[in-house]
Amino acid sequence: MKTITSHSPEETQSIASDLLSELPDNSVLALHGDLGAGKTCFVKGLAKALGIKQAITSPTFTIVNEYLQPSPLYHIDLYRLGGPDEMFGLGFEEYFEKDGVKAIEWAERAGDLIPEDAVHIDFWTGQMPEERVISVRR
């Protein structure tokens, strides 16, 4: 397990970029943490590292945002779902077969549907307003 402290949103995005460079192309990133802990900011860093120019927003109401150019990123937000039973019929598991990075906010709500080889990343707010503690479990 690797734990990193970020002191700004820009640093959180840089941490995401650095981590992405260490991972296989089609990685699944299971993001865990409370509201405002830095998950979406982290995904913005992934997108930037992949060369995606579109604005990155959390897909809380749409469940999935797909960014396909220049490299695919699937940003999935499970906040509004109560658990794995609510995911059937949404095509959730089909995303794991697609090329590209899959970043899943509130991943704990997917239960056993998250692949075993997923990288789990935990986010906590730190002692200072913009400080975030990020823990990476592989």
Side-chain angles (χ1 to χ4, degrees), residues 19-30 46 50 68 70-74 76 93-104 114-119:
L19 177 63
L20 188 62
S21 70
E22 301 171 8
L23 298 175
D25 290 342
N26 297 320
S27 292
V28 175
L29 306 178
L46 296 173
L50 291 168
L68 303 177
S71 295
L73 170 65
Y74 301 95
I76 303 167
E93 292 173 286
E94 294 172 17
Y95 282 97
F96 302 133
E97 298 170 13
K98 296 183 178 207
D99 287 335
V101 174
K102 296 80 168 174
I104 306 167
I114 299 292
E116 288 184 20
D117 62 347
V119 176

Side-chain angles (χ1 to χ4, degrees), residues 15-120:
I15 291 166
S17 177
D18 291 347
L19 177 63
L20 188 62
S21 70
E22 301 171 8
L23 298 175
D25 290 342
N26 297 320
S27 292
V28 175
L29 306 178
L31 310 180
H32 309 274
D34 292 334
L35 285 171
K39 297 179 300 294
T40 300
C41 183
F42 186 87
V43 175
K44 289 179 182 182
L46 296 173
K48 189 180 223 180
L50 291 168
I52 296 167
K53 305 287 185 208
Q54 292 169 266
I56 304 300
T57 58
S58 186
T60 302
F61 294 101
T62 58
I63 309 294
V64 180
N65 284 343
E66 296 182 1
Y67 306 96
L68 303 177
Q69 298 295 328
S71 295
L73 170 65
Y74 301 95
H75 184 190
I76 303 167
D77 187 329
L78 304 179
Y79 179 74
R80 296 185 64 220
L81 301 181
D85 294 344
E86 293 183 27
M87 299 173 68
F88 293 108
L90 295 177
F92 177 73
E93 292 173 286
E94 294 172 17
Y95 282 97
F96 302 133
E97 298 170 13
K98 296 183 178 207
D99 287 335
V101 174
K102 296 80 168 174
I104 306 167
E105 294 192 39
W106 302 94
E108 60 277 4
R109 296 183 184 205
D112 292 340
L113 297 177
I114 299 292
E116 288 184 20
D117 62 347
V119 176
H120 291 266

